[in-house]
Amino acid sequence: MKRFPKLDLPRCRLRITQDGSGEVRVWDDIRAAWLVLTPEEWVRRHVCGYLTGHAGIPSGCIVQEYPVPVAGMPQRADIVVHDRSGRPLLLVECKSVEVEPDKAVYAQAVRYNAVVGAPFIMITNGLRHHIFSRNPDGDYTRCADFPDLAAYFQIDK
């Protein structure tokens, strides 16, 4: 079975299988489906594991392969986290470890977020992560740390 690199994300428990043709698949708990385990999917599974296991995000608030029409063309954001009211909080663009999360990936996330409207975006290749907050003027500022998104899910007493 193909080996995937260790990432700069907490380890997560994955169910992996290999079918008769040799294709490696991974179980996606959120979508309840077996997916082909590509290098990008390896990163996406770990990001989802981080969001649910460490950042306090309920799995029901995570949408993967989120449809984003850009200039009339159908595109998909890798991950969009919503609050309990359905408002987008975070858009995540995942790349394989071989792809540097550079200006082009940042521009892609910003393009998608012009449609989605989340206050935060993240670009990652599993080894390097860049998180930005959207300013009221529409520009972005790089965040020093991952935002406390769990605060959006706290219930006021």
Side-chain angles (χ1 to χ4, degrees):
M1 191 175 298
K2 191 173 177 180
R3 305 286 274 159
F4 286 89
K6 181 174 177 1
L7 303 176
D8 183 33
L9 289 161
R11 288 184 59 157
C12 63
R13 191 173 194 100
L14 299 176
R15 288 175 47 198
I16 298 174
T17 189
Q18 192 167 13
D19 65 21
S21 69
E23 192 165 62
V24 179
R25 296 186 175 269
V26 62
W27 179 254
D28 179 346
D29 288 332
I30 296 170
R31 292 185 268 185
W34 288 99
L35 307 171
V36 174
L37 185 54
T38 63
E40 184 176 305
E41 191 61 44
W42 177 252
V43 173
R44 186 174 17 247
R45 297 278 41 85
H46 281 80
V47 170
C48 286
Y50 172 78
L51 292 171
T52 59
H54 298 276
I57 308 299
S59 61
C61 294
I62 298 172
V63 179
Q64 298 170 81
E65 299 294 329
Y66 188 89
V68 181
V70 177
M73 297 296 297
Q75 305 288 317
R76 292 185 184 181
D78 286 313
I79 301 168
V80 174
V81 175
H82 291 92
D83 66 14
R84 292 191 192 277
S85 299
R87 289 182 299 256
L89 295 175
L90 172 70
L91 181 143
V92 182
E93 192 55 36
C94 301
K95 298 297 182 188
S96 69
V97 295
E98 293 83 22
V99 177
E100 192 63 33
D102 59 11
K103 290 179 182 181
V105 177
Y106 169 80
Q108 178 184 12
V110 168
R111 253 189 334 274
Y112 291 174
N113 204 41
V115 175
V116 173
F120 300 99
I121 62 172
M122 174 180 175
I123 59 174
T124 181
N125 68 357
L127 299 175
R128 288 181 218 38
H129 325 284
H130 306 292
I131 300 148
F132 303 87
S133 64
R134 191 184 65 206
N135 303 323
D137 64 3
D139 287 337
Y140 288 84
T141 302
R142 187 154 179 199
C143 300
D145 296 309
F146 193 82
D148 182 15
L149 296 181
Y152 289 89
F153 298 96
Q154 302 302 319
I155 298 172
D156 294 329
K157 300 197 185 214

